[in-house]
Amino acid sequence: MPDRRDPKVVIVGAGLGGLAAAIELGKHGFTDVTILERASGLGGTWFHNAYPGSACDVASQLYSYSFAQRRDWARLCSPQDEILRYLHEVAHDHGVDRLVVPNTVVSSCRWDDSRRWTVASDDGRTWDADAVVLATGQLHQPAYPSIEGRDEFEGHSFHSAEWDHGYDLCGKRVAVVGTGASAVQFVPEIAPQVERLLVFQRTGNWFLPRKNRPYPALVRAVIRYVPGVQTFRRGFFYRYGELLTLMIRHPRTVGRLGQARSALFMRWQLRDREVRRKVWPDYTFGCKRVLFSSYFLRALQRPNVELVTDAITRLKPHSIVTAEGAEHEVDCVIYGTGFRTNDFMFPMEITGAEGRTLREAWSDGARAYLGISIPGFPSLFLMYGPNTNTSGGSLIVYEEAQAAYIRQALEHVRDRAAAAIDVRPEVEETTDRQVQARFAGTAWTGCDSWYRTETGRIVANWPGYMREYEKRLRVLDPSDFDFVQLPDRSPVAA
Ligand code: NAP
């Protein structure tokens, strides 16, 4: 029988969440931790999303672990390579980089009669575990649009999250499909290189400014050497994120201020009336993700760039055809069409107690207690799970809270000499109802977005503030859970 005093934990995903979980567990004496990672290196989203201009649009003081603050960020929002380097350094400093098993695509997790999990990869390797942390997040499976003839296109094409750095865009006729947070970062970068750029927009967006120039030497020195400045700035950006959430939660009052600020900025940037008309969003500020860029709208007004709002109806071998019958010849199509967010960890097969699959449990949409625990799936924990995305603030705040909560759950299991911890169905049900009810009247309900399923249920976002989520997760209440006894043991008290 394995030694359950030091439970064996398998973490799936070596991104921000998986690393946070491994570090938290390591700090609290859990030594048997393995991180399985699909990619050839750690970093998650910051490993994959290496498109030109890729950067975070949250200030680095907040978009970094609270326990690994840096005073030497070169600019407000760090580019992809700096964030990836930071993650490598933090993982190394905490000794979790050596726990990563790269090039491992987990295909299934199965709970069995021995009251343990068996995790299998698609190449036939297996790991047994007392607990599994699925830290695959919401934004890891590129979504390609189902456009007729997409496979017939004979030019070059790729997704923003799978950027082909070997393909030279210089002098090419390029189409970009999508105008989300990724596209607004790479369009201004590639626009000066290409001969012609067609940007296909399905829905307009609200924008706020973001220049992100390198800090002047004096500012860098002040942040670095003046005591308290770093802490003050982190607190400031935390509150700024909460303010955005406040605006989204109250679209008819304070939200109007955000919309007015955005409208002023966009009006100022969009000198070209035709482009302005096409770009202008027809939904409430904050319903979709607000985009931060001082360069995208300007790039759309370059002479070699055209914004196309006519829907794409099909791809031909060398062109894109739109609903109005226009045919645009292009050499390359770049899909900035986002991710299969509602799929979470699928197509991974997850089988919990009594042979029930997660697909069955989630037949009406993804849901989990505090985004972490699913009834009937003992000691299976999610990070950045359902209803834990944020439209204001930093995901790292959420992921640190989740890591500490999961660590507490495993401590309770260990202290009770139990096999596993399983959230009570009625607790999950009640919390889910409360979470969904809190979306009423907010901007999130006013349009289609990747936050929602086809039925309109919001499965991506937390409906409130970062501070609420942190508070809710600070202390795990064991009475919310059942403890699964070890085989041949009497029941375990909560
Ligand atoms: P996204 O926000 O989901 O945007 C996808 C874009 O593709 C949207 O404009 C969408 O239009 C369009 N689209 C999808 N299918 C289409 C079709 N069939 N025809 C035409 N257009 C189509 O994806 P993303 O830009 O990759 O960003 C995903 C998320 O990653 C963001 O929301 C954000 O949370 C995160 N991200 C963060 C940062 C950061 O700096 N922190 C940077 C990049 C990404 P509709 O709007 O009409 O659906």
Side-chain angles (χ1 to χ4, degrees):
M1 161 113 14
D3 179 5
R4 306 232 184 179
R5 281 166 304 176
D6 187 12
K8 193 169 168 152
V9 183
V10 167
I11 297 172
V12 184
L16 284 159
L19 295 176
I23 292 168
E24 175 74 13
L25 291 174
K27 279 182 185 168
H28 290 82
F30 293 88
T31 61
D32 196 345
V33 177
T34 303
I35 310 175
L36 307 179
E37 168 56 49
R38 175 181 60 153
S40 59
L42 61 80
T45 199
W46 298 108
F47 178 93
H48 293 286
N49 286 273
Y51 54 77
S54 175
C56 190
D57 57 14
V58 179
S60 296
Q61 279 78 16
L62 191 59
Y63 198 81
S64 51
Y65 296 116
S66 62
F67 55 83
Q69 287 290 288
R70 295 277 191 271
R71 286 165 174 245
D72 56 354
W73 298 111
R75 57 187 82 214
L76 186 65
C77 301
S78 297
Q80 174 263 343
D81 58 342
E82 267 182 50
I83 300 173
L84 190 59
R85 198 161 52 244
Y86 167 78
L87 289 176
H88 273 274
E89 286 167 8
V90 175
H92 182 72
D93 291 349
H94 291 82
V96 299
D97 51 348
R98 61 187 167 74
L99 309 178
V100 178
V101 183
N103 303 312
T104 305
V105 180
V106 171
S107 53
S108 69
C109 302
R110 174 174 284 275
W111 173 257
D112 58 34
D113 292 341
S114 64
R115 303 190 187 173
R116 305 190 89 208
W117 288 93
T118 302
V119 179
S121 63
D122 65 353
D123 55 5
R125 287 173 291 161
T126 58
W127 293 258
D128 57 349
D130 299 298
V132 174
V133 179
L134 293 179
T136 51
Q138 302 189 12
L139 301 165
H140 64 112
Q141 307 195 60
Y144 287 87
S146 48
I147 300 171
E148 194 189 331
R150 191 165 66 78
D151 295 339
E152 291 162 29
F153 182 66
E154 290 175 9
H156 202 66
S157 65
F158 51 88
H159 191 278
S160 60
E162 297 166 338
W163 196 272
D164 184 352
H165 292 278
Y167 182 76
D168 186 3
L169 291 165
C170 288
K172 302 281 184 349
R173 296 164 302 174
V174 177
V176 168
V177 184
T179 51
S182 301
V184 304
Q185 292 186 339
F186 68 75
V187 162
E189 299 290 322
I190 66 171
Q193 300 168 24
V194 302
E195 181 197 306
R196 183 145 183 74
L197 185 61
L198 296 166
V199 179
F200 289 87
Q201 174 196 277
R202 192 165 64 179
T203 318
N205 292 289
W206 290 107
F207 284 82
L208 286 173
R210 173 182 171 279
K211 286 206 171 101
N212 207 30
R213 294 194 181 115
Y215 290 133
L218 180 65
V219 175
R220 286 183 78 159
V222 168
I223 295 172
R224 192 160 194 169
Y225 299 113
V226 179
V229 170
Q230 168 80 357
T231 310
F232 172 80
R233 282 169 67 81
R234 185 172 161 88
F236 174 83
F237 292 119
Y238 189 105
R239 286 182 195 92
Y240 182 79
E242 299 285 64
L243 177 64
L244 255 182
T245 302
L246 181 80
M247 289 171 172
I248 296 168
R249 285 204 50 76
H250 301 283
R252 294 210 182 85
T253 52
V254 64
R256 286 187 200 274
L257 292 177
Q259 183 155 331
R261 170 74 186 96
S262 176
L264 268 178
F265 169 68
M266 290 174 66
R267 178 71 187 74
W268 175 70
Q269 286 238 316
L270 289 161
R271 305 290 160 97
D272 184 314
R273 279 176 177 225
E274 181 59 8
V275 177
R276 192 192 318 151
R277 186 187 62 76
K278 286 177 169 177
V279 164
W280 213 262
D282 60 0
Y283 56 85
T284 312
F285 176 84
C287 179
K288 283 177 189 282
R289 196 180 191 282
V290 175
L291 301 181
F292 296 83
S293 172
S294 298
Y295 306 113
F296 176 74
L297 298 175
R298 287 196 178 153
L300 292 182
Q301 297 163 92
R302 288 176 60 97
N304 68 332
V305 178
E306 184 185 344
L307 179 67
V308 184
T309 50
D310 194 16
I312 300 173
T313 49
R314 66 164 294 145
L315 257 68
K316 286 186 170 179
H318 300 284
S319 60
I320 295 180
V321 182
T322 66
E324 281 177 0
E327 189 164 343
H328 305 272
E329 288 209 356
V330 290
D331 304 305
C332 177
V333 178
I334 304 175
Y335 295 101
T337 41
F339 300 87
R340 299 198 327 253
T341 51
N342 297 343
D343 282 4
F344 291 88
M345 75 298 289
F346 296 139
M348 205 184 287
E349 289 296 331
I350 314 285
T351 311
E354 294 167 13
R356 187 156 154 267
T357 67
L358 190 57
R359 280 188 196 283
E360 288 162 359
W362 282 4
S363 55
D364 293 330
R367 50 192 281 177
Y369 177 58
L370 301 174
I372 299 174
S373 298
I374 309 151
F377 295 81
S379 288
L380 178 85
F381 306 103
L382 310 185
M383 297 207 58
Y384 191 14
N387 295 110
T388 64
N389 185 54
T390 177
S391 296
S394 168
L395 270 180
I396 298 180
V397 171
Y398 288 75
E399 289 181 318
E400 280 190 43
Q402 289 156 12
Y405 193 82
I406 293 167
R407 182 261 304 160
Q408 290 180 58
L410 292 177
E411 284 174 340
H412 281 288
V413 172
R414 190 170 60 180
D415 294 349
R416 288 167 173 74
I421 185 169
D422 193 6
V423 65
R424 292 176 190 263
E426 65 277 15
V427 172
E428 189 276 333
E429 177 75 42
T430 307
T431 308
D432 181 66
R433 247 184 280 121
Q434 290 165 350
V435 165
Q436 291 299 322
R438 285 202 69 204
F439 286 112
T442 67
W444 287 301
T445 59
C447 67
D448 287 336
S449 72
W450 65 259
Y451 306 146
R452 316 177 78 177
T453 63
E454 280 165 12
T455 64
R457 181 184 158 87
I458 298 181
V459 295
N461 279 21
W462 173 246
Y465 302 92
M466 283 183 282
R467 64 169 189 278
E468 290 176 301
Y469 190 75
E470 286 189 288
K471 192 171 168 213
R472 193 81 196 261
L473 268 62
R474 199 156 290 143
V475 181
L476 181 148
D477 182 352
S479 68
D480 288 343
F481 293 85
D482 291 321
F483 287 87
V484 180
Q485 66 191 78
L486 289 167
D488 308 324
R489 287 274 190 95
S490 42
V492 179

